[in-house]
Amino acid sequence: MIPDWLGALFGVPRARTDWRFIRNSLRRCERMPLYRTLAGSVVVCRSDYARRALIDSESVLEHLPAFWQFPNGAPIPEPACAELNRWVHHSLDRHDAAEAAEIAVSRIAASSGDLHRACLLAVTESAGSILRTDVDHALRALVRSYVGELFHTVVVGTRRREHELRARALARKVAPLLAAHRDALPGVLAEDGALSGAERGELYLRAVTAFVGASAVAMAWLICALSEDDLAEVDLSGAARERIEQGPPGPVAMELLRLWPPAWQHRRRVLRDHAIGPLTALRDDDLVIPVVALHRHPAEWANPRVFDPDRWRTDPRPAAFMPFALGPRACVGGRYEIRWLTEVAGHVPTLKSLRLARLSKKPCVTAVFSPPRCEIAPG
Ligand code: HEM
């Protein structure tokens, strides 16, 4: 099964979810941290059970790749998957998070219009040296069009069939450009072999979404948090705002990922019946870890709805914090993301100077959890 927050990227149908769904799950998890839904999901909102489940030392869950799949949702061969993850890992290890953050922030500062699109495009520019869009203008144009016009619809929940078809067509145009970058891109993307041209194009665009998607959403939450008084049921008036503006950037980044985690639930299919505390998860159930609810659960956090960077001084590794999942298929970009978001949070004065007009009060809940739609006024 495809991880929920990414699965919709290329049109795999998902159960309908929205902000009301998350709010209901928050309330329910507060009353009952472990329960089974009528639809056959086992919901686990307790850090000890959730960690054990994701680490899965008894191999009772299915762990399919999050990004590296064929358009029909089938996973690509494991060696290709490993090569792609190694490339991501090495690229991020060498990538300068401070410089990347500076590029993203300067782009945002010069943007106007839809906030989500502006963040996606700003982060795309900051990943240019990895994606090769900094040296290849044709590739850059295609990637910008993919991110700004098509991937944007996934993030804000307006994706239609026509967008999927356009994404496929765009992937076919991308594929022939990749061979020129065989020195910098992994072989599996640059040359026909394990994968055909069209598949390589698709996969390259998935890599783009890996480098860009969740980071852009995290930046959008920060920008909104600097101008909203109430953001997805977190009170940001008065002292809370000061804590964002004046708090040390590292703990501010952690609080952003805690209260507004872009990957709002982790989902795995159950392969074998097994016990989770008093419940039995049955083969073919979905095991769901509702990350937003876990990150705000009163049994796991003191004053969970308060934006409090200080809590990270008392406990730098809270067991209930899992924005990047854990275990097999955990995020390979997590460590980099924290460095990058910390750098972005160091640019509060610039980000705060953006003037936002809110178009909705409700966060966008699609494959990712992102802030309500708003517009940046021209500077
Ligand atoms: C706020 C930022 C990010 C969040 C919240 C996030 C979250 C996640 C999560 C939850 C997963 C596991 C999905 C699952 O199996 O259920 C994942 C996988 C992955 N992430 Fe991230 N991620 C972030 C940033 C990044 C960045 C910057 C990269 C860089 C390319 C990245 C690359 C990947 C890759 C390649 C995988 C798939 C690993 C595999 O299938 O073996 N992520 N991410």
Side-chain angles (χ1 to χ4, degrees), residues 3 5 65-68 85 88 92 210-211 214-215 257 262-263 266 268 323-325 329-333 337:
W5 73 284
F67 289 92
W68 317 127
N85 277 340
V88 170
L92 292 178
F211 282 104
S215 301
L257 292 171
H266 306 317
R268 302 282 186 269
F324 305 110
R329 300 296 173 205
C331 179
V332 281
E337 181 61 34

Side-chain angles (χ1 to χ4, degrees), residues 1-15 62-75 206 265-269 286-287 367:
M1 191 199 41
I2 304 163
D4 224 34
W5 73 284
L6 295 165
L9 287 187
F10 284 76
V12 179
R14 307 271 103 215
E62 185 175 52
H63 301 274
L64 291 180
F67 289 92
W68 317 127
Q69 303 146 13
F70 291 117
N72 64 4
R206 279 166 195 256
Q265 62 174 349
H266 306 317
R267 210 176 248 271
R268 302 282 186 269
R269 191 163 67 91
D286 275 349
L287 188 140

Side-chain angles (χ1 to χ4, degrees), residues 5 21 24 44 65 77 119 124 133 156 158-159 161 176 192 200-201 203 208 248 250 273 302 310 332 335 344:
W5 73 284
F21 174 89
N24 289 344
V44 180
C119 287
T124 304
T133 49
V156 300
T158 55
R159 170 148 276 211
R161 175 95 184 122
D192 279 3
R200 288 187 295 103
L203 220 52
V208 170
D273 297 2
D310 243 17
V332 281
R335 276 211 323 236
V344 172

Side-chain angles (χ1 to χ4, degrees), residues 189-318:
L189 285 184
E191 285 156 302
D192 279 3
L195 305 178
S196 69
E199 289 167 342
R200 288 187 295 103
E202 297 270 1
L203 220 52
Y204 171 82
L205 293 178
R206 279 166 195 256
V208 170
T209 64
F211 282 104
V212 170
S215 301
V217 167
M219 184 158 97
W221 279 114
L222 171 57
I223 293 170
C224 287
L226 289 167
S227 78
E228 301 290 348
D229 280 346
D230 170 5
L231 193 56
E233 296 200 342
V234 178
D235 177 4
L236 293 174
S237 54
R241 174 68 40 68
E242 276 164 33
R243 284 187 220 114
I244 305 180
E245 290 178 16
Q246 290 159 22
V252 166
M254 302 304 263
E255 277 295 82
L256 286 166
L257 292 171
R258 180 180 74 82
L259 286 165
W260 304 289
W264 59 279
Q265 62 174 349
H266 306 317
R267 210 176 248 271
R268 302 282 186 269
R269 191 163 67 91
V270 174
L271 295 176
R272 277 194 285 129
D273 297 2
H274 64 282
I276 305 177
L279 255 178
T280 303
L282 303 172
R283 187 177 159 194
D284 288 333
D285 278 347
D286 275 349
L287 188 140
V288 177
I289 294 161
V291 185
V292 183
L294 184 62
H295 282 185
R296 297 180 181 197
H297 202 288
E300 305 276 355
W301 308 86
N303 302 318
R305 306 273 178 130
V306 174
F307 191 101
D308 178 14
D310 243 17
R311 70 173 81 243
W312 295 90
R313 216 173 24 188
T314 337
D315 183 2
R317 287 170 180 264

